[in-house]
Amino acid sequence: MKNKLEKHDYIIWSIRFLLIISIAVNITLMIMGLFPDEHVTKQEILEAFSKKIELLFWTLVTLVLSFLPDYIEKRRHIHLPHVLEIIIVAFIFAGIFLSVRFDLYYQVFWWDDLLHTVSGIIIGFIGFIIIYKINGRYCMDISPLLVAVFAFTFAVTMGVIWEFFEFAMDAIFETTMQSWDLPETTLLMGKPFQGSGLRDTMSDLIVNSIGAFITSVICYFLYKEDKKKTLVLMREIFPDE
């Protein structure tokens, strides 16, 4: 167990170390930008400075969110499985930092779909943990099908709420989170005349549902085939129950 814990910490802290290096490099470049070459225009300086500030901001956000599993474990007394914790931190790292740093949402057409699929899988497992938290005191004497349905609907609902958030951000702050400004030739689900925003939203919901379905199937068979082992794992997650 000790070796597994050390390996788990090593992976997560490696991600955090990369973020810290990125922060240091960007701050250094911003300071160097205060002393530009005489051939660089003021507009070019402002544009470069703006991009570095944006990257620096999202890097800091990623770094802070990488400590979210630690907060959950220490403050909420919930011991997340090491694999799930690594997946969550890696997902945060990829979904925020890598996406902004390499402009992956626009450079890689399947990147957004991949993230939404993985989010459906992760949130589905979180839904499974929640249903145990609600029913654990009753020994989880419920149908495996109900467990699977709850995990699925919870993940899909969270995906819908996220799309509400994206729409609100686009409507209020004029962002492009729902990709409504993409050209019609962009590879997205649906027909060009439907608009890229609609196609982006529906593809997000569909792949999120696929990820949720994958988790629900796994949860169904885990709980049905080996309920005792599954409950032991849940009691390790909630040792105070």
Side-chain angles (χ1 to χ4, degrees):
M1 177 64 71
K2 185 176 180 181
N3 291 333
K4 289 183 179 179
L5 183 61
E6 290 175 351
K7 183 177 181 180
H8 149 260
D9 288 337
Y10 174 79
I11 294 173
I12 292 179
W13 275 103
S14 295
I15 292 175
R16 291 170 181 164
F17 184 66
L18 288 173
L19 293 170
I20 292 171
I21 290 177
S22 177
I23 291 171
V25 169
N26 275 281
I27 291 177
T28 301
L29 292 175
M30 289 170 65
I31 294 174
M32 293 174 61
L34 297 175
F35 308 95
D37 186 275
E38 59 181 7
H39 299 294
V40 180
T41 65
K42 185 176 180 180
Q43 182 64 28
E44 291 174 336
I45 295 173
L46 291 175
E47 289 178 359
F49 206 76
S50 176
K51 290 181 179 179
K52 287 182 174 58
I53 289 178
E54 180 182 6
L55 178 58
L56 181 61
F57 171 77
W58 288 115
T59 305
L60 287 169
V61 169
T62 307
L63 182 61
V64 171
L65 289 179
S66 72
F67 288 93
L68 182 60
D70 293 344
Y71 171 81
I72 293 174
E73 290 192 345
K74 293 179 181 178
R75 298 291 183 177
R76 302 300 177 183
H77 306 291
I78 299 174
H79 298 303
L80 297 175
H82 293 335
V83 173
L84 182 58
E85 188 172 351
I86 291 172
I87 291 174
I88 291 173
V89 174
F91 177 78
I92 293 171
F93 177 71
I96 301 177
F97 175 76
L98 291 182
S99 298
V100 175
R101 173 63 181 82
F102 299 104
D103 199 21
L104 293 179
Y105 286 116
Y106 293 95
Q107 299 298 328
V108 182
F109 73 92
W110 47 262
W111 182 251
D112 187 47
D113 290 338
L114 174 64
L115 291 180
H116 279 279
T117 304
V118 174
S119 70
I121 294 174
I122 294 173
I123 299 174
F125 279 113
I126 293 174
F128 181 60
I129 293 173
I130 289 174
I131 199 172
Y132 173 82
K133 179 65 175 177
I134 296 173
N135 297 276
R137 68 184 66 181
Y138 305 108
C139 297
M140 287 285 284
D141 189 19
I142 54 180
S143 166
L145 181 60
L146 180 59
V147 172
V149 169
F150 181 86
F152 176 79
T153 55
F154 179 78
V156 172
T157 300
M158 291 299 102
V160 171
I161 292 175
W162 175 256
E163 294 303 319
F164 287 168
F165 169 75
E166 286 190 347
F167 177 80
M169 292 294 291
D170 288 352
I172 298 172
F173 299 104
E174 299 183 358
T175 58
T176 58
M177 296 185 70
Q178 293 190 315
S179 305
W180 48 264
D181 63 335
L182 294 178
E184 293 185 352
T185 55
T186 304
L187 292 174
L188 287 173
M189 193 175 298
K191 302 295 183 180
F193 63 79
Q194 293 173 317
S196 58
L198 172 61
R199 288 179 286 142
D200 175 75
T201 300
M202 291 309 301
S203 63
D204 289 349
L205 291 175
I206 290 170
V207 296
N208 178 79
S209 299
I210 291 173
F213 180 75
I214 292 172
T215 297
S216 66
V217 171
I218 294 173
C219 291
Y220 175 81
F221 285 105
L222 279 177
Y223 192 66
K224 181 180 180 181
E225 301 298 330
D226 200 342
K227 177 180 177 181
K228 184 179 292 186
K229 184 177 180 180
T230 304
L231 292 180
V232 169
L233 176 61
M234 289 296 105
R235 292 189 184 103
E236 291 178 358
I237 296 176
F238 298 102
D240 298 332
E241 288 291 325

